[in-house]
Amino acid sequence: MRRLIRFEKVSKSFKGQQQPVLHQIDLEIPDNEIVVLIGPSGCGKTTSLKMINRLLRPDAGRIMVGDRDVQQVDPIELRRGMGYVVQQTGLFPHMTIQQNIEIIPKLQKRDPHQVMDRTIELMKMIGLDAESYLYRYPTQLSGGQQQRIGVARAFATDPEIVLMDEPFSALDPITRVQLQDELLGIQAQLHKTIVFVTHDMDEAIKIADRICIMHAGSVLQYDTPENLLKHPADGFVQEFVGTKRIWSNPEMIRARDIMITTPVVASERVSLVRAVEIMRMRKVDSLMILDENHCLTGLLSAGMLDHSMQGDTPVSRLMKREVVSAHAEDSIVALLKVINETGFSTLPIVDDGGRLVGLVTKGSLVSTLSRQFIETGEEARA
């Protein structure tokens, strides 16, 4: 995977401040991902963003975009090749919406017909009718509509990189959610590299491929939303993320997080009497039946036992062969749906080759979900 943006030992200080805003930051931002910078006020997230397009200059270290040090690139050329969206939209009030969107493409002397086609395409992308809005002025639009235009303008030149500095933070909650959804839709179509600054962890978890948590000029943890929720690096990250936030994102709790990794199994060739003995000794009421390659071939439960059959009959004669299974990456939401639809109390977990890797039971699901209420009650008593 090529790393499009790379911070190498980047430091930055401002006059009048005792502590540096950034201290030897190392950070690699992959192509075609949304990377969110988040942390408390003054942690250095906006400073980091502004150094990518040379609005600020590092005191030490360097920032690479592709194979070029941004300090060696003409700043005008650099900025025209990047989209930039800020909280206040940055629209020019004396220009129409069309003029605002087309300002950079026209400065680059692009073909007028292609520019117009791109503008109409962008208006569709952000969900605004071109005929109704292109000839209006920013003051004639709502805050959410203005922010949509700001996003469209950032994508007007089809840049590889789009920088977004708390673009939705001033909007009402409903509009904010709509714009987050639209951004995800745009990213699914265009696959840009987006660096997004926010102070809202819910927003970060929703839109990010990776989240960089910053504090006092340092990177504390740089990881996927799922890993941040499950494996915070330290106490500060855990508190900043929120211990109960995982319950707001149950799709991030996977079968591998809750499955029994040593289910009770037996071979297809095992006799019924031996199978009964295994269930008795291990205190279970069912066995996962495997072939010689450890692949799941069926299930034998105590309720299936036929006492009229000979004890030396192999379990392959009696076992249930049509067994619904799941995969380790399936979420508990998907697991619950399968269990509710099938009525099964046990759900084997298999890999892509059909080999058994674990087992999820209705009891383990209930136990996992009940932790939400136990943890909530403990916090309320604390």
Side-chain angles (χ1 to χ4, degrees), residues 180 184 200-208 211 224-230 240-258 329-334 336 368-369 372:
Q180 291 166 357
L184 290 172
D200 185 333
M201 183 55 72
D202 287 326
E203 181 170 68
I205 290 170
K206 178 177 180 178
I207 69 171
I211 298 173
T224 63
E226 182 175 340
N227 283 338
L228 275 174
L229 291 172
K230 294 177 182 176
F240 190 83
V241 171
T243 55
K244 299 197 302 293
R245 199 178 297 274
I246 187 68
W247 301 111
S248 300
N249 301 271
E251 69 280 359
M252 293 185 182
I253 303 175
R254 312 285 180 179
R256 57 179 162 78
D257 298 321
I258 63 172
E329 293 303 312
D330 290 344
S331 72
I332 62 169
V333 176
L336 283 167
T368 299
L369 293 170
Q372 175 185 9

Side-chain angles (χ1 to χ4, degrees), residues 11-200:
S11 296
K12 180 67 178 177
S13 297
F14 292 114
K15 290 182 179 179
Q17 294 186 356
Q18 293 182 345
Q19 299 295 327
V21 177
L22 293 175
H23 179 64
Q24 294 195 333
I25 291 290
D26 287 312
L27 185 66
E28 291 187 333
I29 297 174
D31 289 357
N32 309 327
E33 290 192 4
I34 299 178
V35 170
V36 171
L37 308 181
I38 189 169
S41 297
C43 70
K45 53 188 184 292
T46 294
T47 299
S48 301
L49 186 82
K50 289 182 175 180
M51 287 194 292
I52 296 173
N53 66 355
R54 289 194 58 180
L55 289 175
L56 291 174
R57 183 186 184 97
D59 297 333
R62 64 177 185 170
I63 299 170
M64 305 293 291
V65 174
D67 57 358
R68 300 195 300 175
D69 183 340
V70 297
Q71 294 302 322
Q72 306 304 317
V73 182
D74 177 76
I76 303 301
E77 175 195 346
L78 183 71
R79 291 167 197 160
R80 286 182 179 176
M82 296 182 184
Y84 191 47
V85 189
V86 294
Q87 179 180 330
Q88 300 81 8
T89 74
L91 299 179
F92 297 107
H94 62 288
M95 291 183 177
T96 64
I97 298 308
Q98 181 179 354
Q99 290 170 332
N100 267 283
I101 293 175
E102 296 178 353
I103 184 169
I104 299 300
K106 287 189 172 180
L107 285 171
Q108 295 176 336
K109 301 187 184 305
R110 299 194 178 188
D111 179 85
H113 297 292
Q114 292 181 355
V115 171
M116 185 61 189
D117 290 344
R118 177 65 173 165
T119 299
I120 293 172
E121 179 185 338
L122 289 166
M123 292 296 285
K124 289 180 181 177
M125 189 176 72
I126 61 172
L128 294 178
D129 179 64
E131 290 186 8
S132 301
Y133 289 95
L134 281 182
Y135 306 106
R136 296 187 190 183
Y137 289 86
T139 54
Q140 296 174 298
L141 275 59
S142 68
Q145 290 168 341
Q146 289 184 36
Q147 202 62 60
R148 283 178 168 87
I149 300 302
V151 171
R153 185 174 64 180
F155 285 88
T157 59
D158 198 23
E160 285 188 46
I161 298 169
V162 178
L163 310 177
M164 308 185 80
D165 190 4
E166 300 202 47
F168 309 145
S169 61
L171 302 175
D172 64 89
I174 293 176
T175 303
R176 186 170 188 168
V177 168
Q178 290 173 345
L179 284 176
Q180 291 166 357
D181 291 339
E182 287 181 12
L183 177 63
L184 290 172
I186 291 169
Q187 177 67 349
Q189 295 177 51
L190 303 181
H191 306 289
K192 300 300 181 183
T193 301
I194 299 174
V195 186
F196 190 108
V197 168
T198 184
H199 62 271
D200 185 333

Side-chain angles (χ1 to χ4, degrees), residues 330-344:
D330 290 344
S331 72
I332 62 169
V333 176
L335 300 180
L336 283 167
K337 183 179 179 182
V338 171
I339 286 177
N340 286 335
E341 288 177 350
T342 62
F344 295 159

